[in-house]
Amino acid sequence: SSSNSSNLNSSSPVSMPYFLYGATEAGSTTATHAIIVQHGTLRNAAEYFCWMLDALATSCFQPAAEQQHQFVVLAPWFKIRADSPSPGEVFFEDNDDWKQGNLSSPSLPVVLSSYAIVDSFMLALADRTRFPRLTNITLIGHSAGAQLCHRYALTSPLNFAALSQQAAPEPVPASIITKSIPSPAAGTTTATTSAAAAMVAPPSQADTESPYVRFLPANPSSYVYLGPDRASIFSPPYTFQLPSPEVEDSCPAYNRWKYGLTNLNAYVQQQPLPTIINTYPKRNVVYLLGTNDTCNSLLDPTCNDHDLDKSCSAMLQGNFRLQRGNVYFAFLCHFYGGCVHDRVYIAGVGHDADAVFHSPAGQRQLFGPCPQNGPV
């Protein structure tokens, strides 16, 4: 792909690379659904973009006769210095920085949290002058992208129930979203020429109302715990208690950000902790868990755990990703005194973003239920 750049606000000295389908930088007057798909630790945004387009093209929605629901797919690309960013492009010094909302490289004239950049994408999509018909925004990430998705859903100060009403004063300049990369060349995906996808009509929505925002973290390596308790065992019935003093001494970072809510970065500190904790149950979060994402190379050297976090802080959350997701879901039930959010298993899928996007359960979460009379 070649890259291009258009300055929405020429006064800004930085730009953010991303892939875009189904709209221009000015927006779309017909799009109804937007999917922000976040790459993993390899920062392979182009692959994630193509996987998502192909998942849409091969879903039950694409061949349907009705074309009333049009999808926008947006794939941010969080570069690090090793990716040789172009002059003026936002990049991060460390590959862990963008995952947890840390600040971009101080070598650029504007320094931004990766989560503030996602805020700007959200506000741009909710801007009714750009996307007057948008009814849904879904942020999905897999692996490290799911770490961003989950932690962002927990800590963003945006009011997602009234997102369109916040679109005027943006937390970072509108011009941060200035650089898009055209869709890959024809032949790399079957979806590059398809402009719409039909699905069951959502409730009617006035232009002034805000899109419905959902978060789909799929198979993250770790989670943010909202208190210092951890599971005493990693199988039901789960019980949660403070780790022993010996464990706390040997693993002092176990409850620090990004694993807990102490030692917070600047983005998370924008809000008081009680606000973050009280808001999270109201966010529309569905944890996607591959039933075969069970590898930990420390426990089984013959399997590929795809850079599973094996630090002591992560190991206190479970031995592998499926287990960690189940334990965390149970922790939220314990912490809030009742279960919050939803959990969906992706049957027969391991640590594979493409397989998650193409699975029946994944496609239902991404695109909605199949049309009743449409192809299957």
Side-chain angles (χ1 to χ4, degrees), residues 257-338:
W257 184 261
K258 61 180 183 175
Y259 304 101
L261 289 175
T262 67
N263 298 72
L264 303 172
N265 64 25
Y267 181 90
V268 183
Q269 289 184 51
Q270 291 180 100
Q271 300 180 88
L273 279 183
T275 300
I276 290 174
I277 290 170
N278 292 332
T279 301
Y280 193 46
K282 301 168 189 169
R283 302 248 152 116
N284 304 303
V285 183
V286 181
Y287 306 94
L288 305 182
L289 302 176
T291 59
N292 289 359
D293 201 341
T294 56
C295 175
N296 181 328
S297 61
L298 293 179
L299 305 177
D300 179 4
T302 67
C303 69
N304 180 359
D305 64 18
H306 298 276
D307 296 310
L308 176 74
D309 186 346
K310 296 180 282 287
S311 67
C312 62
S313 299
M315 292 299 290
L316 283 172
Q317 300 187 9
N319 290 322
F320 45 84
R321 292 182 183 88
L322 173 61
Q323 192 174 69
R324 291 174 188 179
N326 284 328
V327 172
Y328 186 70
F329 192 81
F331 169 80
L332 292 177
C333 302
H334 156 80
F335 183 85
Y336 287 111

Side-chain angles (χ1 to χ4, degrees), residues 20 31 97 107 111 161 194 229 276 303 338 348:
L20 181 65
D97 284 336
S107 64
V111 178
S194 303
D229 291 357
I276 290 174
C303 69

Side-chain angles (χ1 to χ4, degrees), residues 88-111:
E89 276 189 343
V90 172
F91 70 93
F92 294 81
E93 294 289 349
D94 188 273
N95 197 34
D96 280 337
D97 284 336
W98 61 268
K99 304 172 189 176
Q100 54 188 297
N102 290 349
L103 295 174
S104 58
S105 171
S107 64
L108 291 176
V110 174
V111 178

Side-chain angles (χ1 to χ4, degrees), residues 196-244:
M199 53 181 281
V200 175
S204 60
Q205 189 159 357
D207 283 354
T208 54
E209 294 180 8
S210 293
Y212 180 70
V213 181
R214 299 171 69 243
F215 304 93
L216 303 177
N219 299 326
S221 213
S222 64
Y223 297 84
V224 181
Y225 275 66
L226 311 184
D229 291 357
R230 295 295 182 271
S232 51
I233 55 170
F234 295 147
S235 57
Y238 301 101
T239 57
F240 296 88
Q241 59 192 35
L242 281 173
S244 68

Side-chain angles (χ1 to χ4, degrees), residues 50 53-54 183-193:
C50 290
L53 291 183
D54 189 70
S183 298
T188 57
T189 170
T190 58
T192 49
T193 59

